[in-house]
Every structure is written in C-alpha cells, then in structure tokens.
Amino acid sequence: MLQCTAFAEVPEMGTLVVLTAMNPEPGPTPAPAVPGVPELPELDDMLLCELGEHDEKTEHAAQLWAGEMAASRDLWMFWTDTDTDTGMRRSFRFVELPPCPAVMRTLATDEREVCVLFDRHSAPHSWDVTDPLADLMAERMREEVERERGGGRGGGGAGEGGEQGDADEGGAGVTPSG
C-alpha cells in the first residue's frame, strides 16, 4: 500500500505548549541549560502523514516526537481538512500514545521489524506502507555511491546512463575518488 501524501505545517505555538506540558519519562532528567526553561527538541516545520492511503474519515497522523528510543509514549499530531463555505479548514490535535506492539518476524533469518505507528492505528502496519519518494531517494543515493566508488555494476555500464542524469540534477561536479 502506498503512503498517504497529505502533509501539514506544524503549528509552532500549539506544539510548544504540548511539549512543555508532556509528562517526562521515569528516571533522572538532565538539568536544562537555562534553569526553569525546559529543553525542547528541534522539530520539522512540515509533517507527512505516516499512514497508508486512507479514506477522508480517517485522520492524518504523524509522529511529532519520541522521548527516547525505548519511550513508552510518543507525541503524535493528528489533523483533518474540512471543506467549508469560506474554504478549507484544518483542525489538529496532539496525543501521547504508546507505540504499536506489532512485530513482524522473518523465521528464516530471525529478523524482526517493529511497526513504527501508534497503538491501535486503523491503517495497515508501517511495514505494509511503501514510500515511493523515499525509495527513489535511496536508489539515487546508491547510484551516487556506486559512481563515486568507480562503477560497481560492470564498470562503465552504470556510469553511462547516470552521467546524463548528473548533468540534469546539478551533480556534474562529483568526481569519483580513488
């Protein structure tokens, strides 16, 4: 299933209020750089819905922040767009939710992949959602590394098709090392 393509600008003030009010994880918390002012994480300005394609009744969702790698709750932003007489209206809400407990295990290799969505999400698990843009970017990165290392796929064969793409993408200044 393809990933939903909806995106939203992160409402800065609402996010800061929610982050400062969040319950900290159990255990010692580091002292803030300025006493009395909590340390806030750097956040992206825009969020892409992390769910698979879904109908209009399902809210879009994106993980805004996770406290730690083993955090028991993550901060998620949910949003909906509603068509009104005066135009589109976006409403959003923030919720701390536990992570989805689902784990996909490959028996042959004993590899495990956890679902990175929130518990009780309505859409398919994260491993069933494909992001074509991320896949394209990863492929371009692999091709670039192969070019920098001197070929990789039978010498000049991979470079011939890639050289034309470099000129179009502004990558003409990349020189293979070695």
Side-chain angles (χ1 to χ4, degrees):
M1 167 177 280
L2 293 176
Q3 183 173 355
C4 176
T5 58
F7 61 92
E9 186 173 352
V10 176
E12 187 176 336
M13 188 53 104
T15 304
L16 291 175
V17 168
V18 169
L19 284 172
T20 55
M22 279 181 70
N23 294 329
E25 292 293 317
T29 43
V34 178
V37 178
E39 289 284 328
L40 297 175
E42 288 188 30
L43 301 172
D44 294 329
D45 293 333
M46 302 293 282
L47 293 176
L48 178 65
C49 180
E50 296 181 38
L51 303 176
E53 293 176 313
H54 52 86
D55 61 18
E56 295 173 2
K57 295 177 183 175
T58 303
E59 289 180 294
H60 299 291
Q63 184 181 35
L64 189 60
W65 182 69
E68 297 175 8
M69 288 300 288
S72 61
R73 301 177 80 73
D74 302 323
L75 181 61
W76 285 81
M77 185 175 99
F78 292 88
W79 72 94
T80 56
D81 294 322
T82 309
D83 194 9
T84 66
D85 294 339
T86 58
M88 292 299 282
R89 176 187 161 99
R90 174 163 289 161
S91 57
F92 59 91
R93 64 188 179 96
F94 300 99
V95 183
E96 281 184 88
L97 295 170
C100 178
V103 177
M104 181 175 64
R105 181 175 169 208
T106 305
L107 294 175
T109 60
D110 199 32
E111 291 180 14
R112 296 162 195 243
E113 185 173 352
V114 299
C115 179
V116 297
L117 300 174
F118 51 92
D119 193 16
R120 300 177 191 235
H121 54 88
S122 60
H125 293 293
S126 60
W127 57 74
D128 289 326
V129 178
T130 58
D131 181 357
L133 180 57
D135 294 344
L136 176 64
M137 290 172 53
E139 180 60 28
R140 296 270 170 117
M141 295 287 287
R142 279 191 293 278
E143 290 172 359
E144 186 67 26
V145 167
E146 286 178 6
R147 275 194 295 279
E148 287 182 7
R149 291 183 179 166
R153 286 191 225 172
E160 291 172 9
E163 289 170 6
Q164 182 178 4
D166 282 352
D168 293 341
E169 295 166 18
V174 176
T175 306
S177 60

